[in-house]
Amino acid sequence: MIDIVLRDIWSPILFIIVGLLVTLIAYLFYKLGNSEYRKTRYKGDPFISGNRPPKDLQGIHVGGDNLYWGFTHALKKFFEPLVKGHTGIVNDYVYWFVVTLAVVLVYLYIAM
Amino acid sequence: MNIATHLPSFILGIPLLFAFLTPIANKFSKEIRNAVFLTGLLLTGLFVGLMAYEVYTTGGWVYIFGAQDPVGELTTESLFRITFVADGFSTLATLTIIITAIGAAFYSLGYMKESPGMGKYYTLFLLTLAGVNGMVLTSDLFNLFVWFEVTSIASCALVAYHNERGKSVEAALKYMIISVVGGLLLLVSIGLFYGEYGVLNYALIGDSVHGSFIDLLAIGIIMVILAMKASSVPMHMWAPDAYAEAPEPITPFIAITSLGALFVLFRLIFFVFRGAVEPPALGTILIFLGVLSMFVGVSMALKQSDIKRLIAYLSVSQIGYMMMAVGVGFATLDTADYGSFGAMAIEGGFFHMINDGVYKALLFLSAAAVIYATKIRDLNKLGGLAHNMPYTTFFFIIGALSIAGIPPLSGFSSKLLIYESVYLYHPILAIIALVVSIITLALVAKVFFNAFLGPDQKMSKGEVPSSMLIAMGILTAVVILFSLFPHYVVSEIVVPAMESLGVGA
């Protein structure tokens, strides 16, 4: 049994106030830093693996399929049958409905 | 007799009346048509608000349609009359529906301004509104079937609105076939109950059921049909097709019909089926379908590159949270565990329903703004929209953080209740819920990164029209309101909903 009931101590307004206080403290620390900023040759420029950014920016944005490619590729044995099961054929949609109905009815019959 | 007692009939009658006035108004001018449509919608909203006020101040009531005394006892004379329930639960449902409807309506005014056939579009919009409100307000099984059909037909037609696109027609056809199969079997199960008990009213059937074979057959069929309509895995496949191909502004409203089915399922489980089947048995079915929906929904979302299909799968996954939480609460009914954590699970589930209705609508509408501005829905091709669409970016962030359950947003508050309570039922459920939430965060981060971040690729000329921004703004305001005052939402909206189903908080 959890002794502290989290829902009773959860207060969004308190969370926001604490968040603002932390931000304020962080800002004060930031202000303590060196205020003399001198822009030298490359300071502040985008840095892409040591190369200057190309003029055509189209290629440097990672596309939707590539973002979690490693994750989905590593788990392809899980994803392949899952995606394959979503055939888009309406007969299969009805098939899953009938299968679920049968399972639920058998379960209810056994449970009672 | 107090005029307020007739509010349920106004909530259903007004959208029906204005649904048929809209095409007539369309003959005159676009402005008159829009005015008629908005009047119908806002009047419905006003009556929903008034019903909420009445329910929360004086308590709920059963409305017998057409009876001399519409709030009297059910007599032999009024036994076969249609009855509607105005209580905490139907108020929770109608509030969720009307908030989404108002968002979708204002959005449509801007988004669909140049589209042809808008008279029919608004007619179907109001018919869907009447249908889904009827589903959640009725307490009569045959009347449920009627509203189920009204909702299905109107929303199928809305999905097929872009009939010049083959995919839209295909999605609508699939949705129609699934709805027809569900509708016919619903009628069969209603016939089974009527054949056995000779009544159609929820309360009367609830008093009569005793767990006979016919009861189990009817209960099983109704549960599976409503779970399918709620897009629960493995019967969810129609939903991403329908959501993705429906006109962008109407998508959240199509999704709300799924939530409407879930409201009906929960009312029937607590009100009617409870006397026939042991709560742990029904609760286990809900938990199983819920966990499956959460896991499969979010896994399939990982493989999507179409922004609308991705959010559609997230929607399937969110339905799982509600089913699992309410399933846990229901399974513990009549045991000591109900007081320790079962009530909290139901609280979390119901709170998540109203949250989900609003933030999901916000996400769908922000995705629609992206599509409107760029004519692109492929995440591989989008990028840099935050440079030119700062408001849409902000609205998307609010919806995204809320669906991912990041504090202090409202999604976190409802998920906290769910995590804490289902953990006590079985820790593995809380672990699954947390993992699904983390993957949801990764997915909305993907959409945010792909569509809004990166260098400005000049894909959009600027922000979307103001009516669309207002619609997203309204929904954002509601999400923020729910986020700041979750305890108030739970005590004033969720707890009365639970009490009206006969379960205390």
Side-chain angles (χ1 to χ4, degrees):
Chain A
M1 180 66 73
I2 294 176
D3 294 317
I4 302 167
V5 182
L6 292 174
R7 66 159 177 178
D8 290 342
I9 56 169
W10 165 239
S11 165
I13 293 172
L14 190 66
F15 183 89
I16 292 167
I17 291 168
V18 171
L20 289 174
L21 278 176
V22 170
T23 311
L24 183 69
I25 293 165
Y27 178 73
L28 290 175
F29 273 109
Y30 167 77
K31 288 297 283 181
L32 288 174
N34 184 7
S35 58
E36 287 179 24
Y37 176 82
R38 280 173 295 157
K39 184 165 169 57
T40 54
R41 196 175 164 204
Y42 294 122
K43 206 185 258 183
D45 281 353
F47 180 82
I48 304 167
S49 302
N51 301 314
R52 304 195 71 178
K55 282 184 181 168
D56 177 18
L57 297 173
Q58 189 75 33
I60 67 162
H61 190 53
V62 181
D65 284 342
N66 300 326
L67 202 58
Y68 298 134
W69 178 84
F71 182 76
T72 52
H73 184 72
L75 294 172
K76 67 179 177 189
K77 282 190 177 169
F78 166 70
F79 280 109
E80 271 175 6
L82 192 67
V83 174
K84 222 174 170 179
H86 289 73
T87 56
I89 301 168
V90 73
N91 300 30
D92 294 345
Y93 297 7
V94 179
Y95 162 81
W96 280 110
F97 172 71
V98 174
V99 168
T100 312
L101 181 59
V103 171
V104 167
L105 288 177
V106 169
Y107 174 77
L108 280 177
Y109 188 71
I110 294 168
M112 295 308 291
Chain B
M1 188 178 11
N2 188 351
I3 190 79
T5 54
H6 296 289
L7 283 169
S9 63
F10 293 155
I11 292 170
L12 301 174
I14 292 293
L16 279 180
L17 173 70
F18 280 81
F20 295 107
L21 286 180
T22 306
I24 298 169
N26 193 43
K27 300 279 180 201
F28 298 100
S29 75
K30 278 183 187 176
E31 288 73 25
I32 296 175
R33 176 200 65 205
N34 291 353
V36 168
F37 164 69
L38 278 182
T39 308
L41 181 79
L42 294 176
L43 271 178
T44 311
L46 175 73
F47 290 129
V48 168
L50 287 174
M51 187 180 86
Y53 176 77
E54 281 293 320
V55 166
Y56 296 140
T57 51
T58 59
W61 67 96
V62 175
Y63 180 77
I64 306 166
F65 197 75
Q68 277 194 334
D69 180 12
V71 288
E73 289 293 311
L74 272 177
T75 60
T76 320
E77 182 262 331
S78 60
L79 202 59
F80 294 98
R81 287 192 187 276
I82 297 165
T83 51
F84 299 110
V85 189
D87 61 4
F89 192 69
S90 49
T91 305
L92 171 75
T94 47
L95 281 174
T96 311
I97 292 161
I98 201 70
I99 293 169
T100 315
I102 289 172
F106 276 99
Y107 203 90
S108 298
L109 291 177
Y111 195 103
M112 308 292 284
K113 202 164 51 182
E114 305 300 329
S115 304
M118 288 308 288
K120 291 168 198 151
Y121 176 92
Y122 290 131
T123 300
L124 292 167
F125 189 113
L126 290 172
L127 281 176
T128 309
L129 178 64
V132 72
N133 272 336
M135 276 171 64
V136 298
L137 279 169
T138 189
S139 64
D140 176 283
L141 272 182
F142 189 76
N143 197 232
L144 170 66
F145 167 75
V146 172
W147 293 121
F148 183 93
E149 289 294 297
V150 169
T151 310
S152 298
I153 292 166
S155 52
C156 282
L158 278 172
V159 172
Y161 176 78
H162 286 302
N163 58 9
E164 74 282 3
R165 295 201 310 231
K167 279 184 175 179
S168 298
V169 179
E170 185 189 331
L173 184 69
K174 287 174 184 172
Y175 183 24
M176 179 59 98
I177 290 171
I178 285 288
S179 298
V180 167
V181 170
L184 288 176
L185 278 170
L186 182 63
L187 197 59
V188 169
S189 55
I190 293 166
L192 290 173
F193 272 134
Y194 186 71
E196 197 172 13
Y197 303 115
V199 286
L200 292 164
N201 186 276
Y202 288 180
L204 297 176
I205 296 175
D207 288 343
S208 311
V209 287
H210 54 282
S212 67
F213 179 74
I214 298 291
D215 285 348
L216 295 184
L217 198 57
I219 288 169
I221 293 172
I222 293 177
M223 268 191 83
V224 174
I225 289 163
L226 292 173
M228 179 190 70
K229 191 79 177 165
S231 67
S232 164
V233 173
M235 303 164 290
H236 63 289
M237 295 172 191
W238 63 270
D241 294 345
Y243 296 174
E245 295 308 325
E248 278 71 31
I250 206 70
T251 311
F253 200 49
I254 303 284
I256 215 74
T257 62
S258 294
L259 214 53
L262 206 57
F263 275 113
V264 178
L265 176 62
F266 292 158
R267 182 184 283 286
L268 288 173
I269 283 176
F270 283 94
F271 218 64
V272 182
F273 303 162
R274 192 175 164 184
V277 188
E278 292 295 323
L282 280 186
T284 306
I285 295 173
L286 283 181
I287 294 167
F288 182 73
L289 290 176
V291 169
L292 214 54
S293 302
M294 281 159 58
F295 201 70
V296 172
V298 85
S299 302
M300 278 304 292
L302 267 168
K303 295 294 285 182
Q304 306 305 314
S305 54
D306 179 310
I307 188 168
K308 275 185 82 184
R309 280 188 83 84
L310 191 150
I311 299 172
Y313 275 109
L314 284 184
S315 161
V316 170
S317 151
Q318 295 302 306
I319 291 285
Y321 277 93
M322 302 158 212
M323 294 184 87
M324 181 186 71
V326 176
V328 165
F330 192 79
T332 60
L333 277 182
D334 308 325
T335 67
D337 287 341
Y338 181 77
S340 334
F341 60 84
M344 199 202 299
I346 298 176
E347 262 178 37
F350 285 1
F351 187 17
H352 203 64
M353 289 179 92
I354 191 164
N355 270 342
D356 180 65
V358 183
Y359 63 58
K360 194 164 64 188
L362 182 57
L363 276 180
F364 271 125
L365 294 186
S366 340
V370 168
I371 297 169
Y372 181 88
T374 62
K375 312 282 179 260
I376 300 170
R377 48 201 284 175
D378 187 348
L379 288 168
N380 290 311
K381 294 174 183 163
L382 286 165
L385 294 177
H387 294 276
N388 298 318
M389 301 173 73
Y391 297 116
T392 304
T393 309
F394 172 72
F395 296 141
F396 178 82
I397 290 171
I398 296 291
L401 294 181
S402 196
I403 199 172
I406 300 297
L409 287 152
S410 57
F412 172 77
S413 300
S414 51
K415 282 186 178 176
L416 180 66
L417 290 169
I418 296 174
Y419 299 147
E420 206 175 342
S421 53
V422 301
Y423 176 82
L424 294 170
Y425 185 74
H426 201 298
I428 192 74
L429 296 179
I431 292 167
I432 292 171
L434 277 165
V435 169
V436 169
S437 222
I438 292 164
I439 302 176
T440 305
L441 177 63
L443 282 163
V444 289
K446 166 180 161 170
V447 177
F448 180 62
F449 177 80
N450 286 145
F452 294 100
L453 295 188
D456 183 8
Q457 297 179 36
K458 312 284 182 213
M459 286 183 173
S460 71
K461 288 176 186 158
E463 267 297 356
V464 290
S466 53
S467 65
M468 292 161 64
L469 289 176
I470 290 169
M472 290 189 282
I474 292 170
L475 294 171
T476 305
V478 177
V479 172
I480 291 174
L481 211 63
F482 286 179
S483 305
L484 292 178
F485 308 105
H487 297 92
Y488 186 79
V489 178
V490 169
S491 64
E492 301 302 319
I493 300 178
V494 174
V495 171
M498 292 170 67
E499 285 168 352
S500 63
L501 295 182
V503 287

